[in-house]
Amino acid sequence: MGQSAARFDYGLPGDGGAANDRVQERPLGWGQEGRGINPLAVSIFADRGYLRAEMAEDAAAAGLRVAQTSDLERLVADAASPALGDVVLVDCPVIDGLELAALSRLDSRAAQSGSQLVVSTSIGSLDDVYGCLDQSEAQILVTPSRAERVIAMGRVLARTGNRVRELGEEDRLTLLRLTEQVTNIAARLEQLSSGNNVDAESASAFRFNGESGEAGPAKLDEGTDRLVRTARPPLPDPRLVRKIIRQRQLRARFFEGDLFADPAWDMLLDLTAARVEHVRVSVTSLCIASGVPPTTALRWIGQMTDAGLLQRVDDETDRRRAFITLTDKAADAMARYFAELGSSANAMV
């Protein structure tokens, strides 16, 4: 990150996992210097001491005020403590039952207080973590690089300024794609430096010709001059959809995968086949189907959920788990798309 804009005096943690590291910081970011604006307070919870220091350094450089750093044990020890900052950064690559319960409580508290929650985890714990975070609109990062953490904090600053909610649908999609480009550029720079080779209800990045629900668009009945609803065609044969998916994946054997990255469409195809097969799709499985890194896939899942394409469905037998499915609106659009293709769809594979 270059020169740090803050000074940090960390207590000696001994084993690298002190319960509450004292942090003294003097951030000189845009939020303080000469503007009379109180910087956002950030709370950091991570078991790895070096990572707490790294996250605190980056937060201070972004103009945030580091209020506290601690390990995960403090979240588990007391449901009402500690007090939350405006921004809460949590790292839990491997999570157990007690930590899951604490994370669920944290999600509820963040939703009530308005705190912005950023949680990093591993692909192995993703389903459990995702199942706990259903209230606060938390950002979830999967084995993130330092650059991805910084970008997540940038998204927090954009949210708190209400800039994203003011954007139109085209601008929101452009911002999403720009974020992915910045992530890729930052990752490349990180490799080089280390020496290694808008309101969701009113604005949508996706358009639909049909209406929500099972009914299709209205057409004029020539006999009665009345508008009637056309029945929705059936969803395509899942075997056909799976063939299309395999064909799309085959390209990665001969070309760079990023060249054909289209996570939204790949996820729609996978969920369309699963809907007909009556198979539930976990968030981890959907991230894999997207063909892009899990953190990127999670951003797309969030965008598509806001757009009314996808929806979260909690597991009836285990409230800690959740699945992703198409909305009726999205299923209707996919059915009409394949109906429009007709027999030519078979020629695609």
Side-chain angles (χ1 to χ4, degrees):
M1 292 295 298
Q3 294 182 347
S4 170
R7 294 179 180 272
F8 297 92
D9 295 323
Y10 292 92
L12 295 176
D15 61 354
N20 187 17
D21 298 338
R22 302 284 300 177
V23 182
Q24 297 178 351
E25 73 291 333
R26 288 166 40 190
L28 302 177
W30 60 267
Q32 278 187 293
E33 189 173 5
R35 300 196 182 189
I37 301 175
N38 292 327
L40 298 175
V42 58
S43 302
I44 298 172
F45 301 98
D47 283 337
R48 293 175 285 183
Y50 79 91
L51 186 57
R52 289 198 299 270
E54 186 178 274
M55 294 162 71
E57 179 182 357
D58 294 338
L64 303 176
R65 177 176 63 85
V66 180
Q68 61 181 321
T69 65
S70 176
D71 58 21
L72 295 177
E73 184 179 354
R74 193 171 182 212
L75 288 177
V76 176
D78 189 347
S81 177
L84 299 184
D86 302 299
V87 183
V88 183
L89 309 179
V90 181
D91 178 66
C92 48
V94 179
I95 194 165
D96 59 23
L98 290 177
E99 291 172 348
L100 283 172
L103 192 61
S104 181
R105 292 193 299 266
L106 179 63
D107 177 61
S108 177
R109 292 179 59 201
Q112 294 174 6
S113 66
S115 298
Q116 298 288 315
L117 188 57
V118 180
V119 179
S120 57
T121 187
S122 63
I123 191 68
S125 298
L126 175 57
D127 282 333
D128 290 333
V129 169
Y130 184 84
C132 291
L133 303 175
D134 62 345
Q135 300 182 52
S136 65
E137 298 184 359
Q139 291 188 66
I140 303 177
L141 312 179
V142 180
T143 317
S145 65
R146 189 170 185 176
E148 288 175 323
R149 293 183 191 274
V150 172
I151 289 174
M153 282 188 277
R155 291 169 63 87
V156 166
L157 294 175
R159 282 183 181 181
T160 55
N162 290 324
R163 301 172 199 170
V164 174
R165 294 186 181 276
E166 296 173 359
L167 296 177
E169 59 182 46
E170 297 297 335
D171 290 334
R172 288 185 68 196
L173 183 56
T174 299
L175 178 61
L176 181 62
R177 294 191 180 280
L178 180 60
T179 299
E180 311 309 337
Q181 293 174 11
V182 172
T183 302
N184 292 335
I185 293 172
R188 296 291 176 86
L189 291 176
E190 191 174 67
Q191 290 177 352
L192 290 175
S193 65
S194 63
N196 299 325
N197 248 355
V198 187
D199 184 9
E201 295 182 357
S202 61
S204 170
F206 304 89
R207 293 191 178 92
F208 296 93
N209 291 325
E211 299 182 358
S212 61
E214 297 296 323
K219 291 186 178 181
L220 185 65
D221 185 353
E222 296 180 358
T224 62
D225 291 333
R226 290 186 301 179
L227 290 176
V228 295
R229 297 288 181 184
T230 59
R232 190 192 81 180
L235 285 167
D237 187 331
R239 293 172 296 182
L240 170 63
V241 180
R242 295 296 182 194
K243 287 182 180 179
I244 294 174
I245 293 173
R246 286 195 294 271
Q247 182 192 59
R248 292 172 62 81
Q249 294 172 341
L250 182 62
R251 297 176 301 188
R253 290 179 53 187
F254 306 99
F255 301 96
E256 184 69 30
D258 292 343
L259 186 63
F260 300 106
D262 191 0
W265 185 240
D266 287 328
M267 287 190 284
L268 286 174
L269 288 172
D270 186 72
L271 289 173
T272 296
R275 186 179 178 110
V276 183
E277 295 165 342
H278 303 290
V279 174
R280 297 190 297 184
V281 179
S282 68
V283 65
T284 299
S285 176
L286 192 58
C287 287
I288 295 172
S290 72
V292 294
T295 298
T296 303
L298 288 168
R299 282 197 288 265
W300 278 100
I301 290 173
Q303 176 75 2
M304 295 168 73
T305 300
D306 290 342
L309 281 163
L310 309 182
Q311 62 185 354
R312 174 193 178 111
V313 179
D314 291 328
D315 189 343
E316 305 86 0
T317 60
D318 186 351
R319 298 291 296 178
R320 296 175 301 177
R321 291 180 59 84
F323 302 95
I324 306 296
T325 184
L326 294 177
T327 61
D328 288 340
K329 183 195 304 188
D332 180 75
M334 293 299 290
R336 294 186 183 283
Y337 167 78
F338 277 95
E340 189 73 18
L341 288 178
S343 59
S344 63
N346 292 310
M348 297 173 61
V349 294

